Amino acid sequence: MNNEKWNEICFLLSDNIRTDISESDFEQNVIQALRVLEWKEFLGDLQIRPSFQIGASNRIMPDFVINSSEKKNLFVIEIKQPSIPLNINFQQQLFSYMRQLRLQYGVLIGQVIQIFYDGDLTDHDDPVLLETIEFEQDSAKGLKFVELFSKQTFNYETLKTFTLNSLKKINRKADQKKLQQKILSTEYKTELLELIKQDFLNNYDAELIDNVLKEISINIQPKSQTATEKPTFQAYVSTQTENKSTRDKTKYIINGTSARLPKNRFVLEIVKAYLQKYPTDFSSLKRVFKDEYQGSTGVINKLDFVETKYANKSNKRHFTGNDEILTSADNIQFVVSTEWGKDNIKNIVDLARENGFEIQEV
């Protein structure tokens, strides 16, 4: 049954459409495909281009929102003209809808179908691409899509299992790269020489084996790498090992107080103290506490931005407790990043000292 449904979806969204079909015409085909999955507008399962109020003056209008029988939003669908390849801008638009509507799953439909997840099963800031499904008859991925997103079989436990399996595959690629880096490292060459020595100890004495090994060299490199190129992974592996073994546990004392603060708390207290000493507007604060001082997250961000960006995450990567939310002179609520390590904390230490704060490192 699922095979027939998937093949009909292929017919509606790929096999039987013009190459120059407009997005509005394609929308009608998507509506038919959703009917194949038993989501029907007249039953209230499907909202087509609904308008949602966001904040005091903003509205969003996703292409489709799928509802449960209790009228709870389940997932959002964004469609794009199939003659245009899906790109990061289209994905970002879908991500925005997922976060604004607090939805963990989003589907992008165009030349292919892409399934995205945004939740606590992954540490990624942006939603993760779980699967890309091409419109091929009898496709195993297509059958799985029908199973996951049909009205009769839709449930979050099945989606969670699918998500964990997909993330495991993604992590396996990362593990493969990590293992390759280890094998290509200088340290592993030493281990390999020791393995060779152990293999021959039953037949030859250790001194003879050592003398032979001193006369040979071992060079391991990726198959795609030319003989003249050198492996580029060694520095990364060495750095990772060093960082793990030399984790910085420095604490910070501000203006001689007794409190010994960890890095992230230290930054929070410095921003608080600066705001108290120099009351100023949020834009000016951003110029003082520059984003690059922290890195990818930024030192401070508006509260509504953080709540939207990390809507489906329990870890907001910022201090968001009631007593941790700050307010600038122009009455904008903002929060401070919790993401600090030995590589970026020096920026805040230097900034604090430049602005008259006494900082002790203990």
Side-chain angles (χ1 to χ4, degrees):
M1 186 65 175
N2 283 353
N3 193 71
E4 182 178 326
K5 287 183 177 181
W6 172 248
N7 289 344
E8 185 174 356
I9 290 171
C10 290
F11 176 80
L12 290 168
L13 301 185
S14 179
D15 301 343
N16 194 45
I17 62 172
R18 305 186 317 273
T19 56
D20 62 343
I21 188 172
S22 68
E23 191 169 305
S24 59
D25 287 341
F26 186 59
E27 178 183 284
Q28 296 305 311
N29 288 54
V30 174
I31 291 172
Q32 292 182 62
L34 290 171
R35 289 197 191 110
V36 171
L37 297 174
E38 300 177 37
W39 303 106
K40 299 177 182 179
E41 186 181 9
F42 88 97
L43 291 177
D45 304 329
L46 171 63
Q47 297 183 67
I48 302 173
R49 279 175 278 101
S51 179
F52 295 95
Q53 181 77 39
I54 302 297
S57 58
N58 295 325
R59 303 191 74 86
I60 60 170
M61 190 179 292
D63 289 327
F64 300 100
V65 174
I66 307 300
N67 299 327
S68 68
S69 56
E70 296 81 20
K71 306 309 176 190
K72 176 185 176 182
N73 296 335
L74 298 176
F75 60 95
V76 60
I77 299 173
E78 188 67 9
I79 68 170
K80 294 300 170 187
Q81 192 174 351
S83 61
I84 304 173
L86 298 180
N87 59 49
I88 187 65
N89 292 329
F90 299 155
Q91 293 174 351
Q92 290 292 340
Q93 187 177 8
L94 175 67
F95 298 169
S96 175
Y97 296 149
M98 292 170 68
R99 288 163 172 165
Q100 296 283 4
L101 297 173
R102 306 295 196 265
L103 295 175
Q104 293 187 352
Y105 292 93
V107 179
L108 190 58
I109 301 177
Q111 286 186 349
V112 295
I113 296 175
Q114 293 183 332
I115 304 171
F116 291 90
Y117 168 77
D118 185 35
D120 285 335
L121 297 178
T122 173
D123 287 332
H124 292 269
D125 280 358
D126 283 332
V128 175
L129 174 60
L130 298 179
E131 193 67 271
T132 297
I133 307 167
E134 297 184 358
F135 293 111
E136 296 177 351
Q137 298 277 330
D138 305 317
S139 160
K141 289 183 179 181
L143 296 181
K144 190 65 179 178
F145 175 76
V146 171
E147 176 190 340
L148 292 172
F149 290 97
S150 288
K151 180 179 178 179
Q152 298 304 319
T153 53
F154 182 90
N155 71 79
Y156 283 115
E157 284 305 312
T158 305
L159 271 173
K160 182 179 179 180
T161 300
F162 168 76
T163 301
L164 288 171
N165 288 336
S166 296
L167 292 174
K168 186 176 180 181
K169 293 176 185 177
I170 295 169
N171 292 336
R172 187 171 179 81
K173 292 178 182 177
D175 288 341
Q176 180 176 330
K177 184 176 180 180
K178 185 177 179 180
L179 178 59
Q180 185 184 44
Q181 291 167 347
K182 178 175 174 59
I183 292 172
L184 293 171
S185 70
T186 301
E187 292 85 349
Y188 187 73
K189 290 181 183 180
T190 303
E191 294 180 27
L192 192 59
L193 289 170
E194 184 61 30
L195 288 172
I196 294 173
K197 180 177 179 178
Q198 293 299 322
D199 187 47
F200 286 106
L201 276 175
N202 289 334
N203 299 310
Y204 302 94
D205 66 82
E207 183 180 359
L208 175 61
I209 298 170
D210 287 338
N211 288 336
V212 170
L213 292 179
K214 287 177 184 177
E215 299 299 319
I216 65 173
S217 64
I218 296 176
N219 183 31
I220 306 174
Q221 63 184 33
K223 286 184 177 181
S224 60
Q225 196 166 279
T226 64
T228 58
E229 292 177 322
K230 294 182 179 180
T232 59
F233 302 107
Q234 177 184 342
Y236 175 84
V237 175
S238 301
T239 301
Q240 291 293 94
T241 305
E242 179 183 352
N243 286 346
K244 188 174 181 179
S245 61
T246 60
R247 185 177 179 182
D248 183 34
K249 298 180 181 179
T250 305
K251 299 289 194 299
Y252 301 85
I253 299 174
I254 303 172
N255 292 337
T257 62
S258 59
R260 297 186 175 196
L261 302 169
K263 293 176 180 62
N264 54 4
R265 283 281 166 189
F266 162 70
V267 179
L268 174 63
E269 293 305 320
I270 282 295
V271 176
K272 282 183 179 180
Y274 182 92
L275 187 59
Q276 185 175 9
K277 186 175 181 180
Y278 308 109
T280 188
D281 60 82
F282 181 75
S283 295
S284 298
L285 286 169
K286 286 288 276 187
R287 288 193 291 271
V288 173
F289 295 97
K290 298 177 181 178
D291 287 351
E292 56 262 36
Y293 288 169
Q294 190 281 328
S296 59
T297 306
V299 182
I300 60 174
N301 287 292
K302 292 181 180 179
L303 177 62
D304 57 358
F305 168 81
V306 170
E307 287 180 336
T308 298
K309 181 170 184 178
Y310 301 101
N312 299 317
K313 303 278 191 179
S314 57
N315 179 9
K316 307 298 184 186
R317 308 217 195 291
H318 292 75
F319 289 103
T320 57
N322 290 335
D323 59 342
E324 298 165 340
I325 298 170
L326 306 179
T327 304
S328 61
D330 55 343
N331 210 34
I332 291 177
Q333 289 188 308
F334 68 95
V335 287
V336 178
S337 171
T338 58
E339 308 294 295
W340 297 93
K342 67 177 183 178
D343 293 329
N344 60 4
I345 193 64
K346 185 178 183 299
N347 297 325
I348 304 302
V349 173
D350 291 345
L351 178 65
R353 287 171 175 161
E354 288 169 6
N355 283 278
F357 296 98
E358 178 189 337
I359 307 299
Q360 291 176 259
E361 301 178 39
V362 293

